[in-house]
């Protein structure tokens, strides 16, 4: 089954710790471990939350707002899409993600279409 591991963290603290154009050795090692285990489907780092656009459609009117959906201390910073046999395995992978020590990793199963 496929799961998305969504990495939430304090964006300002993360950018102060790691330049925006590099990947930390911890994330590189984590991605390689996922790949070697045959669990990695995809993974991406997202651009900063202030580059987001939020789109809503209500009563036929489209509204586009600059910025993320919510103003919170932690923002969605990236994700890994994995293939794991069950939720326990997906949670075990999330616990190994460097983002779990820097913020939180939300684990969510994907609907099979």
């Amino acid at each position: 089954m496929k799961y998305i591991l969504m990495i939430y963290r304090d964006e300002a603290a993360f950018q102060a710790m790691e330049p925006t154009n590099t990947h930390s050795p911890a994330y590189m090692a984590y991605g390689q471990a996922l790949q070697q285990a045959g669990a990695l489907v995809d993974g991406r780092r997202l651009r900063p939350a202030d580059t987001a656009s939020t789109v809503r459609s209500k009563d036929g009117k489209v509204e586009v707002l600059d910025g993320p959906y919510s103003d919170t201390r932690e923002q969605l910073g990236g994700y890994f899409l994995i293939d794991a046999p069950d939720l326990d395995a997906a949670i075990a992978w999330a616990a190994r993600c460097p983002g779990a020590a820097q913020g939180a990793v939300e684990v969510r199963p994907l609907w099979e279409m």
Side-chain angles (χ1 to χ4, degrees):
M1 178 169 221
K2 290 189 176 53
Y3 294 86
I4 189 165
L5 310 181
M6 294 177 283
I7 304 163
Y8 291 90
R9 60 188 176 223
D10 181 330
E11 192 172 83
F14 184 78
Q15 287 179 348
M17 180 179 78
E18 179 179 313
T20 57
N21 62 348
T22 64
H23 296 286
S24 75
Y27 276 100
M28 296 297 287
Y30 179 69
Q32 288 173 348
L34 283 167
Q35 192 169 31
Q36 289 172 348
L40 182 65
V41 176
D42 190 25
R44 304 292 168 132
R45 183 174 177 180
L46 300 177
R47 298 226 179 240
D50 63 3
T51 66
S53 296
T54 301
V55 179
R56 295 175 191 214
S57 179
K58 188 173 181 179
D59 298 325
K61 291 183 78 174
V62 175
E63 181 180 286
V64 180
L65 303 172
D66 291 335
Y69 171 70
S70 60
D71 187 21
T72 62
R73 193 176 136 257
E74 295 180 331
Q75 293 81 29
L76 178 61
Y79 70 91
F80 286 95
L81 182 60
I82 65 169
D83 196 352
D86 54 38
L87 180 59
D88 290 336
I91 289 172
W93 277 114
R96 291 178 60 183
C97 180
Q102 300 165 349
V105 178
E106 181 180 343
V107 178
R108 195 178 301 183
L110 273 64
W111 284 106
E112 294 296 328
M113 306 281 279

